[in-house]
Amino acid sequence: MSGKGAPGFLRPLLRWFVVDRTLTAGRFTRKGRAPAIFQPKATQAPPAAEVLARLMAAVTGLEADIRSGHPAGRHTVAHPFFGTLQTTDWMRLQAIHARHHHDQITSL
């Protein structure tokens, strides 16, 4: 992902409007397009096996950081539009997002 996120002063509002409402409802509550920074590029997607390997490596790293118990472990995630999120909230949001895109994910 490249580009800039939302200005810092807007992030709490965006977090409340999108993240908090989504987590409370357990689903996305409105239709809308993601900002351009999150839109897929027009290039050919890499093979599914490559994407899965990258995803598994990222999950392994995140799990290791969380389990480390070290103060520098990732207990928060810096999001370019929503600001700092608790890791548990970020993970719940990702689960909701994955369910939202279930058909696309399972067709790979």
Side-chain angles (χ1 to χ4, degrees):
M1 174 175 25
S2 62
K4 294 185 177 184
F9 71 93
L10 286 180
R11 291 177 186 181
L13 179 62
L14 291 170
R15 186 170 46 247
W16 169 79
F17 191 72
V18 177
V19 177
D20 294 350
R21 289 177 172 199
T22 300
L23 293 177
T24 298
R27 62 180 179 78
F28 288 112
T29 58
R30 66 179 196 73
K31 293 187 184 262
R33 291 184 57 87
I37 190 174
F38 295 116
Q39 294 293 327
K41 304 296 179 236
T43 61
Q44 185 173 354
E50 180 183 327
V51 173
L52 184 57
R54 289 175 52 198
L55 180 59
M56 292 306 297
V59 167
T60 300
L62 178 62
E63 286 176 341
D65 284 348
I66 293 169
R67 289 184 175 146
S68 73
H70 188 278
R74 299 212 22 213
H75 301 289
T76 60
V77 174
H79 191 280
F81 283 87
F82 306 132
T84 302
L85 301 172
Q86 293 296 314
T87 300
T88 52
D89 288 344
W90 179 81
M91 292 175 76
R92 287 177 51 219
L93 186 64
Q94 296 312 304
I96 292 167
H97 195 193
R99 280 194 306 271
H100 175 75
H101 288 290
H102 177 266
D103 291 340
Q104 293 168 323
I105 293 168
T106 56
S107 70
L108 292 177

